Each structure stands twice: as structure tokens, then as C-alpha cells.
Amino acid sequence: MITTEELYNHYLKNPIISTDTRNISEGCIFFALKGDNFNANEFAAQAIEKGAAFVVIDEKKHAKNQKCLLVADVLSALQDLARHHRKQLNIPVIGLTGSNGKTTSKELVNAVLAERYKTFATFGNLNNHIGVPLSILSIKSDVEIAVIEMGANHQKEIELLCTITQPTHGIITNVGMAHLDGFGGFEGVKKGKAELYTYLKGNNGYTFINRDNPYLMEMSDAAGLSKLIFYGTENGNTIKGSLKSSDPFIEVEWTNHEISSSVKTNLTGSYNFENILSAICIGDFFDMNPKEINSGLTNYEPKNNRSQLTKTESNTVICDFYNANPSSMSAALNNITVLTSDKKIAILGDMFELGPESEIQHQLIVEQASKSELNEIIFIGKYFYAFKDKCKGLFFETPNEAAAYLKEKPIKNNLVLLKGSRGMKLESLLEYL
């Protein structure tokens, strides 16, 4: 079997990694991963035919020639290769996790740092046990700072990802009611996310913390962190900020003890204020001046259906349907209620991975929405549908049923919040808005 060092020598000559035979590029290394319903070992020969330089497999019967590199376990080999590559990189690596705002924060931090440095940031949300190794292996030798997003839906996952990412700096955006099923409740969420703090403590890393968040302060105290850089709304922080406006786009005033500044962004949603402040704090830590920091924030355009304001022919839509959990759903509802518009509608889809908490969390969102002054509320999905006879609003079991309604009764000249879990595929409703 091939060793990690031998595999790394192949990687240095063929630094493109693929895990999907549909995306084979000439000269890549194909890792034949296994899943519940697939075994990519069976496609090793096909990957070579398509141009892969090597295929990494863990079933000897598929080793047809010298291009087939046999390992004990393909996933472990991928992760070990990423760990080995990470050790060769003598650069700051910022590990980033949290219940909400991970991807937006990662993009903002990268947008700021890229004003001065050659940066790498996780592409999209490749933030799991496969995506993080792929991200690390995409970091080239000329990169000066990397920002790696780490996601998790159960305990010990962040711990694993930290062994691959090996962050020198870290930030937890927040902790909220997300992936409650896998984490075993909110206390489990806190414990799971705090694994980043534990790693940073054990490896003498720096931690950026929102001092306004009591949960993060509690978790940092428990971890015994010492290299802390604070941001928040009060005096005494390295970066102090205030929300100047959020209707519809966010404008922030901030100071780093010496210089006061203000910045207008293209982000909507007051809940993004803390994400913006974290990017300012990290940019300031890496010796960037206010002009550079503000330029990165101003030029950032959200394009990932997270807090993205989109104007259609008929309405203005807050596209926030990449994912949803009770914390982010509640924040989105609070946000639309304070935005200026003559008519406002919320279209909300089910929230997934809540386990035993699902019923009560959906009920709380229904009650919050029903008490708001929105002109209309549309709930979609089986979890919300269970409350159709108990609260005001329109209820549909599927997006297709909601689409049929919107087609028959078009919405015009409204501010529309479109939010739900990724699995609800609410993007299918955009053409009717």
C-alpha cells in the first residue's frame, strides 16, 4: 500500500484532486470515496480513461495498473494527505465555524484580507469531512493567508476538522438552534462548536470573539483561552462598532481605538452586523488600514442566496433560502419587520435536523410570524403544515402547491422574505415572484 509521503509526491506533480468522475480534469488524482449508496472504486477505470493521472482506491480487485494507488481507506487517505500538505504551509490559517453566518463571515473576512494579501478561502460551503481536506489541498504555495470554513452536525466533528485545518487563528460566529438532532440539543451545540476553542488553546492560537455574545464568552472562559481579540458594541474591545443603518443595506460605524470610520455594505439583514464587525476585527489584526478594510466590505456582493436582496420584475426579494434554523429564521423575521416597505410578505419553508425539538421550534416561528405586522405569511412544508388550523397564514405542504397558488394569485410590489432549509428548494418559487 502507498504511504502518505509517497502519495504526497504524486500530489505535488498532480495537484488537482477529484472525487467525482463527472468532473475529471486531465492529470488529476481521483479519490474513490464510498457512501451509503455508492462505491467509487467501481469507477476507477473510468476515471483513468477520462484522463486522471492516478486513482486512489481501497479495494485491491480494482487495482488494474500502476495508476491505481491502493490505500487502507480512501477517505482517511484524503484526510491524511490534507494534514500533510497543511504542515508544509507556513501561513496563518483562520478556522471559522458557527451555527449561523459561517459562509457569509468567511466571504467577508476573505474580501477584506484580499485587499492586501494573497488569500485562499473555502469555495462555497465545502466545510465537512470531505470538503475541508479538498479545501486544504487547494491551497497553493503563494497563498499568504487562508480562511477555512468548518461545519458540523454532531460532536467531535469540529475536533476532527481542526486536526486537518490546524488553524493558527479561529472564530466562532455564534451558537444557535441548529442541527439539534445531531448535537443532542443546544448544550450539545455549544460543546461541539467549542471544540475549536479547545484546539486553539492547545496549540497557542489566537481567537476572535464577539464580546456581546454571552455564550461565546462562557465557552471561551471554559476553554481557558488567553490569546483573545475582542470585537463588539462596547468600549474596551479591539474593534468597537455600531449599526448605523440596515434599511435595506447595512452601514456600520467602527473604531479601533485610534481611528473612527464608517462603511456601507451590500448586505441586508441587521443580523449581519456582527459578521461585518468580525471581518473588520480580523483585518485590523492583520495590520490592514481602515481604507483597505472598508474597500473589501464595500465591494463584497452577496451571491449565494444568503441575505441577498434581489429585484425581480414584480417584487424585491430577500433571498435567504440557502439554509435555515430557528435562530436564523427568527432573525430574518425580525429584520423584515423593520425594513421600509408598504407591503411585506414572508414565505417560510420547513427547518430540518431539529430532532425532538422540531415541533416546538416550528410552532414558535409560526407564532412569531403570526404576531408580526406582515401583510401575508405563507408557510411551506409538513412541519409548518401541522399548524394550519391554529394560526393565521397560508399553509402548503409542498413548494409545488405554493407555486401553483403564486401562479394563480401573483404577488406584486411587495418586499418578500424567502427563507427555508436547503432541502425545501425554495429557489423554485423565485420565477413566480
Side-chain angles (χ1 to χ4, degrees), residues 105-123:
S105 293
K106 175 258 300 180
E107 302 252 344
L108 288 169
V109 170
N110 184 56
V112 167
L113 294 175
E115 289 289 312
R116 175 178 289 195
Y117 300 99
K118 173 71 174 178
T119 63
F120 173 88
T122 300
F123 179 75

Side-chain angles (χ1 to χ4, degrees), residues 232-256:
T233 58
E234 303 295 331
N235 292 326
N237 295 306
T238 299
I239 296 295
K240 175 187 175 182
S242 61
L243 183 62
K244 187 174 181 181
S245 175
S246 61
D247 189 8
F249 297 112
I250 298 176
E251 184 176 355
V252 173
E253 290 184 339
W254 63 275
T255 178
N256 62 355

Side-chain angles (χ1 to χ4, degrees), residues 196-330:
L196 174 57
Y197 286 170
T198 301
Y199 181 90
L200 292 168
K201 170 63 177 178
N203 292 272
N204 203 32
Y206 291 88
T207 309
F208 304 97
I209 293 187
N210 180 0
R211 206 175 210 153
D212 296 342
N213 189 311
Y215 297 125
L216 297 181
M217 293 299 293
E218 171 195 334
M219 290 156 59
S220 67
D221 288 343
L225 294 173
S226 55
K227 290 186 173 180
L228 299 171
I229 304 96
F230 293 109
Y231 60 94
T233 58
E234 303 295 331
N235 292 326
N237 295 306
T238 299
I239 296 295
K240 175 187 175 182
S242 61
L243 183 62
K244 187 174 181 181
S245 175
S246 61
D247 189 8
F249 297 112
I250 298 176
E251 184 176 355
V252 173
E253 290 184 339
W254 63 275
T255 178
N256 62 355
H257 297 310
E258 299 174 355
I259 302 173
S260 295
S261 185
S262 65
V263 58
K264 294 181 179 180
T265 75
N266 297 302
L267 279 167
T268 188
S270 56
Y271 47 84
N272 275 311
F273 165 66
E274 60 189 46
N275 299 328
I276 294 167
L277 214 57
S278 70
I280 294 171
C281 185
I282 292 172
D284 179 78
F285 177 85
F286 284 102
D287 298 321
M288 297 183 67
N289 60 53
K291 183 178 179 180
E292 292 171 318
I293 292 171
N294 290 347
S295 177
L297 294 171
T298 299
N299 292 329
Y300 172 68
E301 294 274 358
K303 297 177 182 177
N304 48 22
N305 296 320
R306 294 174 171 90
S307 307
Q308 183 177 338
L309 204 66
T310 300
K311 289 191 179 295
T312 68
E313 290 184 8
S314 304
N315 302 283
T316 298
V317 183
I318 303 172
C319 296
D320 199 5
F321 48 78
Y322 189 87
N323 220 333
N325 58 54
S327 301
S328 65
M329 186 77 83
S330 178

